[in-house]
Amino acid sequence: MVLNGRPPVKRMKRRVTADRCDFLTFSDAGEGFSAAGSHDQPFRSSLRSFLSRHAREVPSHERNLLTWQIAYRMGDLDCRGSSPETVAVLHVVEEDVMNSGSDYCDMCRVVGWSGHPVCWKRYHFIIRSDSSSLDGFRACNGAKAVAEGPTHLLHGMVHMNGFGHLIRVNGREGGSRFLSGCDIMGFWDRLCKTLRVRKVTVMDVSKKYGLEYRLLHAITSGHPWYGNWGYKFGAGSFALTADAYRDAVRTLSDMPLAPFFTHARASRTHLQDVISFYWSISERRLATLRDLLHFILDLLHAIHRKAVVSARKKPKNTALLLRPWAEDDINRVECAMMKVLQAAGSSRWIRWRTLKGAVSQTGPAELLDYCLKELGGKSVEGMVVHVQCNPETYVVEYRLEDEENAATEGIVSSTVPTRPRYLSEDHILHDLKFLYEALLQPKTMLNFKPQESREIAHSSAMKLLDCKHFVKDYEFDSLQIKNPDVIRVLCGVELVDQAKDYTAPPPELIVLPTTATVADLKTEAMKAFREAYIIFERFHAEKLLDFGDVDDSTNVKFLIGMNGSVCVGGRCHGSYVLQRYRMERGRGRWTVNCVCGARDDDGERMLACDKCNVWLHTRCAGIHDSEEAPPNYYCGRCSAGGRGCKDNREVASGPFGCRGG
């Protein structure tokens, strides 16, 4: 086989923008984007078809890289400042693993795919931060240049077997002028479906507003941000499971706010002030931590959307309809409040609770709260109600001001904003960060009572921060497809001449005509595994396991029907040199046996015992992440056996990429 052969690529002439697919809407079901029958193609075949139909080849100075470009129009983003000529350029880079200088995939190792054989190729899908035009593009040359792109708007990598990793997404906060993170994720998700990618992992270390967003989003939405596109728990550090992740999300999301006010104190705390403030301005009850954070994020989103709703376009779900007070009742309460403010004069601020108490006899508490929230901007006798949040006491305050001064300061009575007009983005962000550090961040979490609740919250927050690896399974959907014109076989392989620690590769999808025989199945199985994996370069299929000595002329349809699975037994007649590509974990031998329950590398900081060479987490060994690993270390089992530490020994280097201090 030709290992470095180029897939057939037609050299396209420069197209006009109108002929390009739209970045925001293209899909595998529209715009002629996928070839007929592509549902019945594995990733490597779909990719070749995709490139031949849509890409133009770009010269590369690296012999181990082939590069292509595909341009997408972004004319539908006019409202964001783009023009009809604006394009987004997808760069597809094919990396030849044997010549790349990087044999193994660290991302496969830490998500449980370390037993996969090494593939011939890796394909990188990149949208660069400066790719608003096709002109002046200089191809990413060198595998290192491909990997090191912190400013890329998108960087995804897929192995030739269809298993991949989403490495980077940068929206507006990451430098994108036109595309949001949601725009880019939607594109990536549709691209994966189009190319028949099998599974994709992502390490969620995203930050928003300077906070760990996987923690914040999990509490407000029940899943990480990537969960909006179907990514689910994949692997947890420190032996955490999917059940532990779900329990931690539920615990923090349902944490009640009322207990923060039950214990007696001489004075209110800042935490109580902040919670009370958002209670006072919310039109619905904020009972849990999820309710509070969700409300604050909604306020931030409203600011970003610059949404201003006029009184005549007020949403139907406002408090007025939820609380159907009579117009006369509302007018009576507002008139009473205005009289109190007039009596106080324009130089004195009146607190929310004081004003509410002064008119408490005019109506029920719910009606008073509603009127207080709607009071800002109302006018009486040439004076307008001004509202502010006192930055020191976190109390909403009111006073009357002259209409001319009010107009200068932007107090307009004819509009009702979607958020209180006295709240700025900086104010809300300051409160969000305070609540995050006080109630979520394990390192800064306040010592609130009861202590047991605080310990549970601390443990749950640690678990959510320790769960970074999420995965989306595209393969499940493709396996549900029924096609009466072909036989779809999920073919596994078992080598009869492999070592005891051999791990079988993932099954490959093989598509056969309805007249295919067992001999045809063996031939296609050999072709599929030879194309995908280096170690299978000379793989020879000998028999179908679980079917005995079935004759090669037997029709496959009679054995498994139109959709089924088989396991092919065979041998790899290859050079010993190729054994280095047997697994993504490499040829090293190591043992992980940590007290937390971890039995394999999970990407966290580890060190090895100097006596038994067993690896464990530094955190589980009582070594803080900010501390250097000791020059020598003995695990609990070995130190209990009477073996002490020697000061002149060095740290075991081990097989992992960044271990020890």
Side-chain angles (χ1 to χ4, degrees), residues 153-212:
L153 302 186
L154 169 68
H155 184 185
M157 185 270 285
V158 184
H159 299 278
M160 201 169 186
N161 62 357
F163 288 76
H165 312 281
L166 178 55
I167 300 172
R168 181 167 287 106
V169 172
N170 281 320
R172 293 191 187 91
E173 291 187 14
S176 174
R177 288 188 293 167
F178 306 120
L179 298 172
S180 67
C182 292
D183 295 335
I184 297 170
M185 275 301 302
F187 172 83
W188 168 252
D189 191 53
R190 294 190 299 274
L191 181 66
C192 288
K193 292 176 182 177
T194 298
L195 297 180
R196 307 302 160 222
V197 173
R198 302 175 67 176
K199 292 182 181 180
V200 176
T201 71
V202 62
M203 177 183 284
D204 187 358
V205 292
S206 58
K207 290 182 180 291
K208 192 167 187 178
Y209 314 122
L211 310 176
E212 297 287 353

Side-chain angles (χ1 to χ4, degrees), residues 4-20:
N4 292 318
R6 302 181 180 218
V9 177
K10 65 180 181 182
R11 298 178 179 273
M12 299 189 301
K13 295 182 179 179
R14 180 70 59 86
R15 296 182 176 183
V16 296
T17 306
D19 293 335
R20 299 183 178 120

